[in-house]
Amino acid sequence: MTTLVLSHPKCLDHLTPFGHPERPDRLRMVTHVLEHERFADLARDEAPLASIEAVARVHPPEFIERIENATPMVNFVHLDADTTLSPGSYEAALRAAGGAVFAVDEVMAGKAANAFVATRPPGHHAETATAMGFCLFNNAAIAARHARAVHGVDRVAIIDFDVHHGNGTQEIFWSDPSVMYLSTHEMPLYPGTGAARERGAYDQVVNAPLPPGAGSREFREAFDLAILPRMRDFNADLVIISAGFDAHERDPLANLNLTEADFSWATKEIMAIADRSAGGRLVSVLEGGYDLEGLGRSVAAHVLALMRG
Ligand code: ZN
């Protein structure tokens, strides 16, 4: 069994206005770095379209229809100041969600040891009925609910090391004791949520905010003291990573100073816990990461760790 990578060229057709950081070149860079021969052992497949049923486990049908109907024939439609739709956005969003769902299927069936879903748009800012922060559908949340509904998984842990807080994932699972959401993020920073006192209805939301300028030492300390012990105690049957790489020191949108070595370390620590409670079952979903070189190096380190390389 190996690591499965899911992607789809239609995810390049979600266009954003000139100068927008969440751009197709991000996915081109990810695809490019994974073409290196050290990734020759990866299994690769195309991300299928998510069914409406799968998306609707998180987002109400009216919201899904609103996104579909708002998708323009030409140019852009703005959903908010920084979240836009282009003609290819709806299909890209369904493939981003569908890739995460299919990754769960393959990992739960034992066909892959774990999986990395290299798609866009990202998802962790999307709330139940609100698209925001470059995100349309919450891919990680849809994957978690799919695992619960279709594979009978009891407990899912979602670990989010994107530099921004995943307000959407937190909101969706706030009152759901079957899902633990754990996040490191810079604070203060967009979207403004993620204080340590935000703990969910069942104390199953774990926020470990980091101050601007924090680096490797502070990040690993937050993992060691706040994130990993709670994840270990939760005993998840499936682990999902909201894998954003915008905490990299090169990233232009935030001010944390991680390197690819930190993402590799975090990935291995998460895998060690997944090995003990979940038979290693882990699905990692791409979120942010806006410096192309930092993103490329970080994804390479992350996927190499998933491959136990
Ligand atoms: Zn981010």
Side-chain angles (χ1 to χ4, degrees):
M1 273 206 301
T2 182
T3 296
L4 171 65
V5 170
L6 293 165
S7 191
H8 200 286
K10 288 284 186 183
C11 289
L12 299 172
D13 291 349
H14 167 57
L15 305 180
T16 49
F18 181 77
H20 196 289
E22 205 295 281
R23 58 209 191 276
D25 279 351
R26 298 180 56 240
L27 187 51
R28 290 191 184 97
M29 175 56 94
V30 168
T31 305
H32 172 70
V33 299
L34 295 180
E35 280 164 0
H36 191 277
E37 63 179 41
R38 70 187 147 157
F39 297 109
D41 289 343
L42 287 172
R44 298 165 204 258
D45 213 336
E46 293 202 325
L49 295 168
S51 67
I52 300 302
E53 184 189 9
V55 180
R57 291 195 189 97
V58 168
H59 303 291
E62 311 81 68
F63 171 78
I64 303 168
E65 280 167 33
R66 205 188 321 149
I67 298 293
E68 182 178 18
N69 294 335
T71 301
M73 301 291 282
V74 292
N75 298 327
F76 299 106
V77 164
H78 280 262
L79 298 175
D80 69 15
D82 48 31
T83 312
T84 53
L85 296 172
S86 72
S89 296
Y90 182 65
E91 177 170 352
L94 285 182
R95 292 204 182 271
V101 165
F102 186 59
V104 168
D105 288 339
E106 294 292 280
V107 168
M108 291 308 299
K111 293 181 189 165
N114 52 37
F116 179 63
V117 186
T119 53
R120 54 182 289 280
H124 73 152
H125 294 306
E127 298 184 346
T128 303
T130 308
M132 58 182 279
F134 318 162
C135 301
L136 301 178
F137 301 142
N138 194 313
N139 309 313
I142 291 165
R145 284 265 161 84
H146 173 78
R148 294 264 305 133
V150 174
H151 297 283
V153 167
D154 285 329
R155 288 176 306 283
V156 183
I158 302 177
I159 296 88
D160 183 338
F161 53 61
D162 188 281
V163 80
H164 303 96
H165 181 243
N167 59 294
T169 314
Q170 171 169 300
E171 182 262 341
I172 289 160
F173 296 114
W174 185 263
S175 302
D176 184 344
S178 67
V179 176
M180 178 172 271
Y181 175 68
L182 311 100
S183 176
T184 54
H185 44 273
E186 181 178 336
M187 196 171 191
L189 189 68
Y190 182 90
T193 50
R197 66 174 179 277
E198 297 167 26
R199 298 171 62 162
Y202 299 91
D203 197 25
Q204 89 300 7
V205 168
V206 181
N207 284 307
L210 299 166
S216 178
R217 187 176 59 80
E218 294 89 343
F219 174 74
R220 294 187 189 210
E221 201 170 273
F223 254 68
D224 280 334
L225 299 179
I227 301 291
L228 298 173
R230 291 298 308 279
M231 181 192 168
R232 205 172 283 126
D233 288 347
F234 188 63
N235 260 321
D237 308 294
L238 172 69
V239 173
I240 295 175
I241 302 180
S242 264
F245 300 100
D246 40 10
H248 193 279
E249 61 186 0
R250 294 179 55 96
D251 200 275
L253 262 56
N255 191 25
L256 292 190
N257 294 308
L258 303 191
T259 67
E260 48 275 27
D262 296 306
F263 294 118
S264 175
W265 175 84
T267 305
K268 290 174 182 169
E269 293 290 319
I270 293 165
M271 289 170 71
I273 297 175
D275 285 346
R276 282 175 43 176
S277 72
R281 289 183 296 273
L282 185 155
V283 169
S284 173
V285 181
L286 180 65
E287 301 282 0
Y290 303 99
D291 176 80
L292 294 183
E293 171 149 359
L295 174 66
R297 282 199 238 145
S298 300
V299 166
H302 177 61
V303 174
L304 214 50
L306 291 177
M307 297 169 75
R308 301 183 195 267

